[in-house]
Structures are given as C-alpha cells and as structure tokens.
Amino acid sequence: MGMYITGFYAGLLGLIMLALIANVGRLRGQTGVSLGNAGQDRALLIADRRHMNFIENVPLALVLLAIIETNGAPHLWVHVLGIVLVIARVIHPFGLKPESMRSTCRLIGAGGTMLVTLVASLMAIWLFVR
C-alpha cells in the first residue's frame, strides 16, 4: 500500500522547505557568512530560524501522517491534516520575527503545526490499540 496522500503533502512541504533554504543561501552569499549569522546579520538570523523551525517541526508531523495513512486512517482525515500542515507552514515564516512573539501568523503557523502533530499522534495511538 502506497502513501500517496502523505507523499503529495510531503512534496508540497518540500517545495516550501526549498524556498526557505534558498533564502538562507541567498543571504549567506550576500553576507559571506558561512555558519551562524556572525552575531550581527538580522536578516540572516531571521531566515535561518524560519528554515530551522520548519526542520524542527515538519518531519515528525509527516512521519505521523505516513503512519496513520499506512495504518488505515480515513483518507479525508489524512487530507485535512495535510492541508492544515501546509497552510500552517506557509503562514508561519511571516510571523517569525525577533522583535515579538505575538504575531497572528506565528500563532496560526505554530498552532496549526502543533494541532496536526497532536491529532496525528492520537490517531496513530488509536489505530494501534483499536
């Protein structure tokens, strides 16, 4: 049994990740900073954290989507979780700013990602114990 639904959302999220890392690479080229942000470059710090936040949160959510899809979760649920995750990860970088943690985009992005991870985690457990 293939993981076509998860594969679709993984593909979309892969494109988002490439956009985030391309921005980091562009700024590294402009600043000549190979690692970190040299403690000074604000734009590079922001771009790097946007990319790393994605890397810190998306893989587990995708693994959980794959697990629930493979273990027979209704396709509608997998699609809903995938859509929420993609929307959350598109919105989140726009709210990730060093001057404030209070941002609607950050709340929607982080909240959506956590919601998908929570629901998919509970579904994975439920599919095991049922």
Side-chain angles (χ1 to χ4, degrees), residues 39-107:
Q40 300 171 10
D41 195 278
R42 177 182 162 94
L44 181 55
L45 169 68
I46 294 167
D48 194 45
R49 280 310 309 152
R50 287 174 174 169
H51 171 251
M52 290 309 299
N53 187 279
F54 186 97
I55 295 302
E56 291 164 356
N57 290 283
V58 171
L60 176 60
L62 276 175
V63 166
L64 288 164
L65 284 183
I67 289 168
I68 66 171
E69 180 179 4
T70 301
N71 289 330
H75 289 174
L76 178 61
W77 276 91
V78 181
H79 276 295
V80 167
L81 293 171
I83 290 166
V84 170
L85 184 59
V86 168
I87 291 170
R89 297 323 301 183
V90 165
I91 293 171
H92 187 266
F94 296 104
L96 203 57
K97 300 173 185 174
E99 62 269 4
S100 174
M101 285 191 60
R102 297 179 189 268
S103 160
T104 302
C105 290
R106 189 174 191 164
L107 176 66

